[in-house]
Amino acid sequence: MRMRKLEHSFGVEFDQVDVNRITDTELDMAREAQNEHGVVFFRDQKMSCDQHINFANRLGDIVINRFFETVDGYPNIAQVRKEPKHKTVVGSSWHTDHSYDQIPAKGSILYAKEVPSSGGDTLFASMYLAYDTLSPGFKETLEGLTAIHSSRHTFSKSAVTSEDPNEDRYVNSHLATQDARHPVIITHPDSGKKALYVNPDFTVKFDGWTEEESAPMLEYLYQHASQAEFVMRFQWQKGSIAFWDNRATWHQAQNDYPGERRLMHRITLEGAPLS
Ligand code: SIN
């Protein structure tokens, strides 16, 4: 297996490896690289659903996303799908998976089954870089804060139907009821590094503040964290895999391939409470 640090970005790409036959040592390398950089990629893979699950099982415990449609016969594989008729894409605003859960997902493994002729990239932003580049005074202020995250405004019935009249990709809107509370600055459970842990899709407000009071500071953090220097773009090919860390990165799917199909399979890995 060969490891290549991506130029002008924080990601790492592996090639000359088949993830179905990856050794424990190679897997440790990938895990370490992900710990350090937040996201790693593999190209030219061929994984059946069972092989995707086997790969995921070697990286952690699978947690089922309750709002995404799943692959027939595989309830632990979520489908991330855009058909020619769809106007929106799943995951088009910056987010980190499952931050609306009190125990958010630690990682996600997204596998490209079908890609459009062009476009459909995914952007990743480093929350390590976002944190590191804040001023000492602002870091101190944020260290004292927790934030409320919610699935309601993204996955509830009103959110889903108002966004796209063709919507048929989300399920269980009645389960979009709970909120979670997380520190705004977390210490990453594996790397020990500090990271910013709020995101535009799921963070509602600072705990104890109103939404109106929270909005300006959250907006500042979102602008700061999504500036070009902290963002990398991954161009998918059929067979590419991205394995990202949900505590250290945000991601955002691009909606720039109207009339074409894109189909990804995603497995999400269970994390630990954040502090
Ligand atoms: C996601 O938000 O998990 C999907 C990202 C993508 O489809 O690029």
Side-chain angles (χ1 to χ4, degrees):
M1 181 169 83
R2 193 174 59 174
M3 173 169 148
R4 192 167 65 90
K5 169 101 184 59
L6 298 176
E7 254 177 79
H8 311 301
S9 96
F10 54 87
V12 165
E13 197 166 299
F14 290 100
D15 60 12
Q16 298 178 359
V17 65
D18 172 355
V19 297
N20 301 317
R21 292 189 178 78
I22 192 166
T23 65
D24 288 342
T25 313
E26 289 168 336
L27 206 59
D28 281 347
M29 254 174 86
R31 232 189 251 108
E32 269 168 38
Q34 196 222 40
N35 230 354
E36 178 66 24
H37 301 281
V39 57
V40 299
F41 305 98
F42 300 88
R43 294 276 185 196
D44 305 319
Q45 302 297 315
K46 268 202 181 119
M47 282 194 305
S48 66
C49 290
D50 289 321
Q51 287 169 325
H52 194 171
I53 292 169
N54 288 342
F55 183 50
N57 280 334
R58 292 179 68 192
L59 292 164
D61 295 328
I62 295 175
V63 58
I64 295 180
N65 182 297
R66 55 195 178 284
F67 302 118
F68 284 18
E69 60 174 347
T70 56
V71 176
D72 273 352
Y74 291 92
N76 44 15
I77 304 183
Q79 262 193 156
V80 179
R81 181 171 63 91
K82 181 176 185 286
E83 302 293 347
K85 67 172 182 175
H86 288 129
K87 297 185 182 71
T88 61
V89 295
V90 172
S92 63
S93 52
W94 283 116
H95 66 284
T96 178
D97 297 332
H98 298 201
S99 79
Y100 47 76
D101 285 337
Q102 201 50 53
I103 302 189
K106 74 170 179 178
S108 302
I109 306 162
L110 190 67
Y111 174 51
K113 301 275 293 174
E114 279 180 55
V115 295
S117 54
S118 67
D121 300 347
T122 303
L123 304 185
F124 293 89
S126 168
M127 293 305 109
Y128 289 146
L129 291 174
Y131 170 78
D132 288 346
T133 49
L134 293 170
S135 68
F138 196 25
K139 281 178 182 164
E140 205 176 312
T141 301
L142 295 174
E143 291 271 4
L145 296 176
T146 51
I148 306 296
H149 298 239
S150 175
S151 58
R152 295 167 206 264
H153 50 289
T154 306
F155 297 118
S156 68
K157 193 158 183 56
S158 57
V160 168
T161 48
S162 64
E163 198 182 315
D164 188 344
N166 292 321
E167 195 51 76
D168 55 1
R169 294 165 288 182
Y170 295 128
V171 296
N172 290 328
S173 53
H174 63 286
L175 296 181
T177 53
Q178 95 300 347
D179 293 343
R181 181 180 283 109
H182 303 294
V184 170
I185 305 298
I186 57 164
T187 302
H188 191 285
D190 302 322
S191 69
K193 294 199 278 191
K194 293 207 171 180
L196 180 67
Y197 195 77
V198 287
N199 68 82
D201 214 0
F202 300 129
T203 308
V204 179
K205 62 183 188 120
F206 297 114
D207 199 7
W209 299 30
T210 65
E211 287 186 32
E212 291 70 25
E213 287 165 343
S214 308
M217 204 152 96
L218 283 174
E219 192 46 42
Y220 175 83
L221 289 170
Y222 298 156
Q223 293 300 329
H224 169 76
S226 60
Q227 60 189 280
E229 297 95 288
F230 308 157
V231 171
M232 66 142 316
R233 174 181 286 268
F234 184 66
Q235 286 182 316
W236 295 91
Q237 294 158 329
K238 187 175 174 184
S240 303
I241 296 174
F243 171 37
W244 65 81
D245 182 329
N246 282 303
R247 291 84 48 100
T249 58
W250 287 349
H251 56 280
Q252 186 197 60
Q254 302 305 291
N255 188 6
D256 56 359
Y257 51 101
E260 290 201 58
R261 186 165 206 253
R262 180 178 183 268
L263 176 66
M264 319 291 271
H265 282 185
R266 195 182 87 181
I267 295 186
T268 311
L269 302 174
E270 182 74 295
L274 296 172
S275 57

